[in-house]
Amino acid sequence: MTVADGVTGDQLVEMLAALANPIRLRIVATLAGGRDYVSHLAREIGVSRPLLHMHLQRLEAAGLVTGSLELSDDGKAMKYYEVTDFDLRLTASAVSRAVATLTSPDPNKGPSRKEQT
């Protein structure tokens, strides 16, 4: 997924917000080296599993990572995550195209016209 491929303004905001956190950036960087399961990923990054899950959910909701449940050889359920195929190249024209599709109001401008009626 790239901005040039028609990512909407709302999707772009969600992706950028998800990446605007040092832990989530470290998660993406670690997963860029290959998929990993939650317990190992938590140890690699140095965070608790509950905190890692929270960040992974945010990244998954933004479409930046995907998770899949698999059974290990000994029958344990293990959740694996991997980075999706995304390519964010921000140019002024790409941002302009994305902004034209925003459906969420700008919080700095107050409620949209639809919300005022």
Side-chain angles (χ1 to χ4, degrees), residues 27 30-31 35-57 60 66-70 77-82:
I27 291 168
T30 302
L31 291 176
R35 70 187 204 118
D36 203 353
Y37 62 97
V38 171
S39 295
H40 185 261
L41 188 58
R43 286 191 301 273
E44 285 289 309
I45 294 173
V47 297
S48 68
R49 286 189 333 198
L51 181 61
L52 178 65
H53 274 289
M54 181 192 74
H55 288 294
L56 285 167
Q57 286 174 345
E60 195 168 24
T66 58
S68 61
L69 197 57
E70 298 178 18
M78 300 175 72
K79 185 86 179 230
Y80 280 85
Y81 283 89
E82 61 188 324

Side-chain angles (χ1 to χ4, degrees), residues 70-78 80:
E70 298 178 18
L71 290 178
S72 66
D73 293 337
D74 61 355
K76 284 172 132 180
M78 300 175 72
Y80 280 85

Side-chain angles (χ1 to χ4, degrees), residues 9-110:
D10 296 336
Q11 290 169 322
L12 181 60
V13 167
E14 190 171 4
M15 291 170 84
L16 292 175
L19 290 171
N21 178 283
I23 292 174
R24 291 193 288 269
L25 281 178
R26 290 197 338 241
I27 291 168
V28 171
T30 302
L31 291 176
R35 70 187 204 118
D36 203 353
Y37 62 97
V38 171
S39 295
H40 185 261
L41 188 58
R43 286 191 301 273
E44 285 289 309
I45 294 173
V47 297
S48 68
R49 286 189 333 198
L51 181 61
L52 178 65
H53 274 289
M54 181 192 74
H55 288 294
L56 285 167
Q57 286 174 345
R58 181 77 183 265
L59 290 166
E60 195 168 24
L64 301 170
V65 301
T66 58
S68 61
L69 197 57
E70 298 178 18
L71 290 178
S72 66
D73 293 337
D74 61 355
K76 284 172 132 180
M78 300 175 72
K79 185 86 179 230
Y80 280 85
Y81 283 89
E82 61 188 324
V83 175
T84 62
D85 186 25
F86 72 91
D87 182 4
L88 288 177
R89 284 182 241 167
L90 295 177
T91 63
S93 62
V95 170
S96 181
R97 284 191 306 275
V99 166
T101 67
L102 281 172
T103 60
S104 300
D106 181 344
N108 297 319
K109 290 187 177 180

